[in-house]
Amino acid sequence: MIGIFGGTFDPIHYAHLRTALEVQQQLELAELRFIPAAVPPHRSQPLANAQQRLDMVRLAIQDQPGMTVDGRELEREGPSYMVDTLASLRDELGEVPLVLILGMDAMLGLPDWHQWTRLIELAHIVVMERPGAALPEQGELAELVRVHRCEKIARLAQKPAGAVWFVSVSQLDISATDIRARLAAGASPRFLLPDAVLDYILDEGLYGVSGQLPGG
Ligand code: ATP
């Protein structure tokens, strides 16, 4: 099984990395692939450009077994729709089980995604639970979960797509928004993200950084 972890990664941080590792281990994924959104359709546009965000993911996972980065969304024009990404992966990889990994916040916004009902035809959906963030009890998202929820983890490896699985992960209160705000205020975000990523941010002068930060 291949896990697909999409996001803006503006920048990638330890909550992305730690939760990805925990999902990779629990689902015994052969590969966990980070796919940065070039032009995220559902939110404000990132501050770092797509190549810089791809570079930061690459630096964050270098030497980490089973983790890879995939730049295919940088090669397409227009909004980076996940449905197009999954369709191109499916064309390329054949019938291998694909697992789309979403935080609960992303799951709650799923009905706004382009052609969202096709996602479950192209991949399994694995939702990282968060305390306080519950699924609605009624509506189209509740219906998707009712139809596709799977209780036995072994079932995921037996078909290429079509199951919804909920997974518990360590709760880490780290966000890219907070890291950008610290940097813009001249404060160091060290230890919230890998040193190699912070060094890259300082070298490139991203997020309003200029010069040395107190705390390194
Ligand atoms: P921003 O603060 O800019 O909105 P972010 O830190 O939430 O960014 P994204 O790149 O938007 O990061 O998120 C990519 C994916 O990672 C989403 O599925 C999101 O739910 C998940 N994610 C982000 N932060 C966490 C966290 N602290 N714990 C678990 N999942 C997270």
Side-chain angles (χ1 to χ4, degrees):
M1 292 199 287
I2 299 180
I4 306 300
F5 200 129
T8 41
F9 306 122
D10 187 29
I12 190 166
H13 51 67
Y14 278 135
H16 296 133
L17 292 160
R18 178 66 209 172
T19 54
L21 179 64
E22 291 184 12
V23 173
Q24 185 180 21
Q25 289 177 335
Q26 289 190 50
L27 272 67
E28 298 181 6
L29 300 175
E31 179 186 348
L32 189 138
R33 207 181 277 214
F34 289 91
I35 307 191
V39 184
H42 313 289
R43 50 170 292 152
S44 55
Q45 289 309 300
L47 295 184
N49 69 38
Q51 185 61 51
Q52 289 167 326
R53 291 180 288 112
L54 183 73
D55 289 345
M56 289 190 278
V57 174
R58 188 168 287 129
L59 287 167
I61 61 164
Q62 62 189 348
D63 307 324
Q64 180 60 32
M67 287 192 184
T68 61
V69 59
D70 183 325
R72 74 184 56 223
E73 292 194 353
L74 279 65
E75 286 151 29
R76 294 202 309 263
E77 297 288 318
S80 307
Y81 293 125
M82 181 53 78
V83 69
D84 296 333
T85 299
L86 291 179
S88 82
L89 287 163
R90 182 57 73 206
D91 280 352
E92 196 177 297
L93 300 169
E95 292 296 279
V96 64
L98 292 176
V99 175
L100 177 62
I101 301 163
L102 299 175
M104 183 58 100
D105 57 324
M107 179 65 171
L108 292 175
L110 204 67
D112 294 331
W113 290 24
H114 185 60
Q115 297 184 358
W116 75 284
T117 54
R118 280 187 63 211
L119 298 169
I120 194 71
E121 296 166 11
L122 290 161
H124 300 305
I125 295 177
V126 166
V127 184
M128 300 184 287
E129 290 179 295
R130 275 185 145 171
L135 280 174
E137 285 173 16
Q138 286 177 356
E140 46 196 357
L141 196 56
E143 186 59 14
L144 176 98
V145 173
R146 193 186 64 73
V147 172
H148 294 279
R149 187 166 191 162
C150 162
E151 301 295 344
K152 289 212 167 68
I153 198 165
R155 295 254 167 86
L156 269 65
Q158 291 166 359
K159 55 183 188 174
V164 175
W165 177 263
F166 290 85
V167 64
S168 296
V169 291
S170 297
Q171 301 300 313
L172 296 165
D173 191 11
I174 302 174
S175 73
T177 302
D178 172 69
I179 291 171
R180 293 194 301 272
R182 284 177 199 270
L183 286 161
S188 175
R190 192 173 294 284
F191 308 136
L192 295 172
L193 73 179
D195 284 350
V197 176
L198 180 55
D199 291 346
Y200 181 93
I201 290 169
L202 299 177
D203 284 350
E204 297 277 311
L206 288 172
Y207 311 119
V209 174
S210 55
Q212 203 62 27
L213 293 171

